[in-house]
Amino acid sequence: MVVFYKADYKRKMNDLLGDKNTYKVLRNDPTNTLQKKNNKLINELHRSKIISTTQKFKMNSSAAIAPRLYGLPKIHKPDLPLRPIASSFNVPCYNLSKFIVNALNDLTSEKYNIKNSYDLKDRLNNININDDEILVSFDVVSIFTNISTYLATKIIMNKFGSIQEKLNISRNTFHKILDFCLKENNYFMYEGKIFTQTYGMPMGNPLSPTIADIVMDDLLEYTTLELKNVHNIDIKFIVKYVDDIFAVVRRTDGDIILKTLNEYHNKLKCTVEKEENLSIPFLDVKLHREANKIILNWYSKLISSGRIINFLSAHPLKYKINTARNFVQKILTISHHKFKEANIQKIHKILKSNNFPSQLINNLIEDTLMSINNKHIKQTTTNTDTDNNKFFSVTYIPKLTEKFNRDLDNKKHKITLAYKPNCTLSSVFTKTKSPVELQEQNNVVYEIRCNGKENEQCNKVYIGTTKRPLGVRLSEHEADIRKKKDNTALSQHILNSGHETDIKTPKY
């Protein structure tokens, strides 16, 4: 939890947006224009039989809004700089971007990418480290704002054959859609102003993480090939997670590798961190050299609050127990047995601070240790038949929810319920996103009252719903009355009675 003076937050955001090489103010909001183009592209996909009619209706946009920019503080860095995030839900190309992501996922390489620290541990099992080698990590500085969309497009189109096999789409059509999602939709709103990002990609765009993976794969391919051909350097072990790279290299090669990484592109620059006291942090573990092997221990930064779901919070009991169980399993499974006692103390401290009962903590630890000794714990992906399941999010009400869940035969009705609390910490935090104005909001129920006329009161109320922006629907009501069209009960009443109503200020 970070507390900012509002003036400091705004100053930091304005300093970010003051970078003329990255951001530019637009005169007009392009959302409506982009929404029309998005729907036109989707219609082309449908006519070409690349997507089904169901996909077409799902991907079409009818109530798009401009992305909202906000800043998240980098609490591990001095002076708490902000990381800009563009909230892109319900933007013109949101569903089209997700469709493109599915096609691009096959372009990411398993050679370098690791899914999590379990994957890292598995890959390190057979790695021996020599005295002349060192553990290092490289970090790409501000990767999303420094990735050239031109470079990303070039890399993707060079691998178009794989995409065509999956989508059966023409090269020109795919290129047009990619440019639309990557370049034309690279804009956002902050404090009522519309900006375009002239370089890089915003965090928050559905495409950004996948594009970053593809570019990083290409960066590592270029680097390893260049090191081999020019410097006769082979990297013994190298993996990455988004923009974080871990490697085992010869001590004399570290500087050359960093230099080669930084030669890939003038905007993408890496920093390096070398092992200290025979260890180095990476992801949520610390890697230690022991003899000629690398062993892992669970690691959390000094800024970590240690907060997880509280045992006294208004959540289903099974959610709280499963959260604690996964936490215990993560620490004890990922860590080498030499760190067991110290980690058990950490587990007790963190779970007790979150009000978990001591007996429950002991049971979870004992169960996990027994499973580890019997080698029962294994990270696998379980395939379940949920294609026909209906998913619902339901407010959690203590005791009533448990009774309701027992009485409902979920399997029979193929229903999956997820429970959420009605009151959360986020409800008391300051909202840093620019609010969506009333006229732009969609999927709303609204109320319009009749004001009657002079010396004649009227208590009638019109209740309406709309999936489109409320302002569009209200304009239609005004047009119906102005053109004397009795399309709705509202216009019928006003036209027949001669009463008046203030359509511009509905309740919702």
Side-chain angles (χ1 to χ4, degrees):
M1 189 181 300
V2 181
V3 179
F4 262 116
Y5 283 112
K6 193 171 184 178
D8 288 343
Y9 174 83
K10 287 189 173 182
R11 174 181 56 79
K12 289 174 184 284
M13 288 297 291
N14 288 328
D15 287 346
L16 273 174
L17 295 173
D19 180 1
K20 303 298 183 184
N21 294 321
T22 307
Y23 304 107
K24 183 175 74 173
V25 178
L26 296 179
R27 291 183 179 180
N28 300 308
D29 185 349
T31 302
N32 287 337
T33 302
L34 293 172
Q35 178 172 263
K36 290 176 183 177
K37 186 167 183 179
N38 174 80
N39 294 345
K40 184 179 178 181
L41 289 169
I42 289 168
N43 286 334
E44 286 182 25
L45 291 176
H46 182 250
R47 282 196 302 270
S48 302
K49 298 184 178 180
I50 296 168
I51 61 173
S52 65
T53 302
T54 302
Q55 287 176 300
K56 173 190 169 182
F57 285 116
K58 183 178 179 180
M59 291 164 61
N60 263 325
S61 174
S62 61
I65 59 172
R68 262 52 180 178
L69 190 78
Y70 63 98
L72 289 182
K74 302 177 184 180
I75 57 179
H76 58 290
K77 293 191 177 181
D79 197 34
L80 297 179
L82 297 179
R83 176 183 287 111
I85 311 289
S87 178
S88 298
F89 181 73
N90 216 23
V91 299
C93 69
Y94 183 75
N95 288 315
L96 185 57
S97 292
K98 291 174 73 174
F99 173 77
I100 293 297
V101 165
N102 289 333
L104 297 181
N105 281 336
D106 291 343
L107 302 187
T108 56
S109 168
E110 293 184 3
K111 180 179 178 181
Y112 301 113
N113 290 287
I114 55 170
K115 298 174 183 176
N116 48 41
S117 47
Y118 291 102
D119 191 8
L120 176 64
K121 182 178 181 181
D122 289 341
R123 296 201 190 194
L124 285 170
N125 275 340
N126 299 318
I127 298 297
N128 294 319
I129 185 166
N130 302 320
D131 291 339
D132 65 339
E133 292 173 328
I134 188 172
L135 311 180
V136 295
S137 68
F138 302 98
D139 178 42
V140 180
V141 179
S142 302
I143 184 170
F144 290 100
T145 53
N146 285 316
I147 285 181
S148 162
T149 53
Y150 171 80
L151 171 66
T153 303
K154 181 181 177 182
I155 295 169
I156 291 168
M157 296 312 297
N158 284 341
K159 301 179 179 181
F160 178 70
S162 300
I163 297 168
Q164 193 172 38
E165 286 180 12
K166 186 170 185 177
L167 290 184
N168 192 27
I169 190 173
S170 73
R171 186 183 185 89
N172 287 340
T173 300
F174 184 82
H175 199 165
K176 184 166 57 174
I177 293 173
L178 188 62
D179 280 348
F180 173 71
C181 294
L182 264 185
K183 299 174 183 178
E184 295 183 52
N185 281 267
N186 221 354
Y187 77 110
F188 53 81
M189 175 183 284
Y190 175 73
E191 296 281 294
K193 290 183 179 180
I194 300 290
F195 295 81
T196 183
Q197 187 165 332
T198 57
Y199 196 92
M201 302 179 302
M203 289 187 70
N205 186 311
L207 271 174
S208 294
T210 304
I211 296 292
D213 270 338
I214 291 170
V215 173
M216 285 292 295
D217 285 349
D218 195 69
L219 165 64
L220 293 184
E221 283 290 349
Y222 162 84
T223 300
T224 52
L225 190 63
E226 190 78 359
L227 289 170
K228 176 69 176 175
N229 294 339
V230 178
H231 304 284
N232 196 29
I233 292 175
D234 282 316
I235 300 178
K236 173 178 279 190
F237 180 85
I238 184 166
V239 292
K240 73 174 182 69
Y241 185 84
V242 191
D243 59 344
D244 291 326
I245 303 167
F246 169 73
V248 178
V249 303
R250 287 199 299 265
R251 294 180 185 275
T252 54
D253 294 340
D255 292 337
I256 299 174
I257 294 171
L258 177 63
K259 182 174 180 292
T260 307
L261 284 167
N262 287 334
E263 287 172 348
Y264 174 74
H265 192 272
N266 64 333
K267 280 277 192 176
L268 290 173
K269 300 300 176 186
C270 295
T271 58
V272 63
E273 182 180 353
K274 299 179 180 180
E275 67 175 67
E276 290 186 7
N277 300 320
L278 303 179
S279 66
I280 190 171
F282 184 70
L283 299 184
D284 55 356
V285 294
K286 203 162 206 179
L287 298 98
H288 298 261
R289 300 174 59 141
E290 185 166 279
N292 66 336
K293 286 290 191 181
I294 300 174
I295 61 174
L296 276 61
N297 187 24
W298 179 73
Y299 170 79
S300 61
K301 294 180 180 179
L302 293 175
I303 58 172
S304 173
S305 67
R307 184 184 293 118
I308 62 172
I309 187 172
N310 197 288
F311 192 76
L312 303 180
S313 63
H315 289 82
L317 179 62
K318 66 177 182 179
Y319 285 17
K320 292 180 276 194
I321 292 177
N322 285 340
T323 299
R325 178 181 288 112
N326 291 336
F327 176 69
V328 173
Q329 287 183 352
K330 170 84 176 205
I331 294 177
L332 297 181
T333 306
I334 206 71
S335 303
H336 191 268
H337 61 80
K338 72 175 288 185
F339 304 111
K340 183 179 76 172
E341 295 304 322
N343 281 330
I344 287 175
Q345 292 180 21
K346 288 180 185 177
I347 291 168
H348 272 281
K349 181 179 178 181
I350 292 172
L351 292 183
K352 280 183 178 179
S353 70
N354 287 280
N355 292 307
F356 281 80
S358 295
Q359 186 58 50
L360 174 59
I361 300 172
N362 289 331
N363 290 343
L364 291 172
I365 291 173
E366 288 176 11
D367 289 347
T368 301
L369 290 175
M370 187 178 300
S371 297
I372 291 172
N373 291 335
N374 294 330
K375 297 183 179 179
H376 285 163
I377 292 182
K378 187 177 181 181
Q379 293 298 309
T380 58
T381 302
T382 303
N383 293 319
T384 55
D385 183 15
T386 59
D387 290 345
N388 297 319
N389 273 19
K390 296 179 181 178
F391 294 85
F392 296 96
S393 178
V394 182
T395 299
Y396 175 71
I397 303 171
K399 296 183 180 178
L400 177 62
T401 294
E402 283 81 1
K403 184 178 185 306
F404 173 74
N405 205 33
R406 283 196 301 270
D407 295 341
L408 180 68
D409 188 348
N410 293 343
K411 292 182 179 178
K412 177 181 177 182
H413 298 288
K414 290 193 173 183
I415 291 174
T416 300
L417 298 179
Y419 298 103
K420 62 179 181 180
N422 199 33
C423 183
T424 62
L425 275 175
S426 62
S427 63
V428 302
F429 292 155
T430 304
K431 302 293 184 289
T432 53
K433 297 179 192 175
S434 298
V436 179
E437 300 297 331
L438 174 61
Q439 301 289 318
E440 295 181 62
Q441 294 188 25
N442 58 79
N443 289 320
V444 296
V445 179
Y446 60 93
E447 172 189 299
I448 299 175
R449 288 188 171 274
C450 179
N451 296 331
K453 60 182 178 181
E454 189 176 356
N455 300 324
E456 184 180 339
Q457 291 186 343
C458 182
N459 296 320
K460 289 191 175 181
V461 173
Y462 176 82
I463 305 294
T465 64
T466 180
K467 292 183 178 181
R468 297 174 296 157
L470 180 58
V472 173
R473 187 67 185 115
L474 297 180
S475 296
E476 290 174 348
H477 282 308
E478 285 185 309
D480 286 344
I481 295 170
R482 187 175 64 252
K483 297 176 181 179
K484 301 187 184 310
K485 292 182 178 180
D486 56 355
N487 294 341
T488 64
L490 174 64
S491 61
Q492 289 173 17
H493 173 72
I494 298 300
L495 293 172
N496 293 335
S497 65
H499 290 178
E500 296 179 352
T501 184
D502 189 0
I503 293 177
K504 293 187 182 296
T505 56
K507 292 183 179 180
Y508 72 104

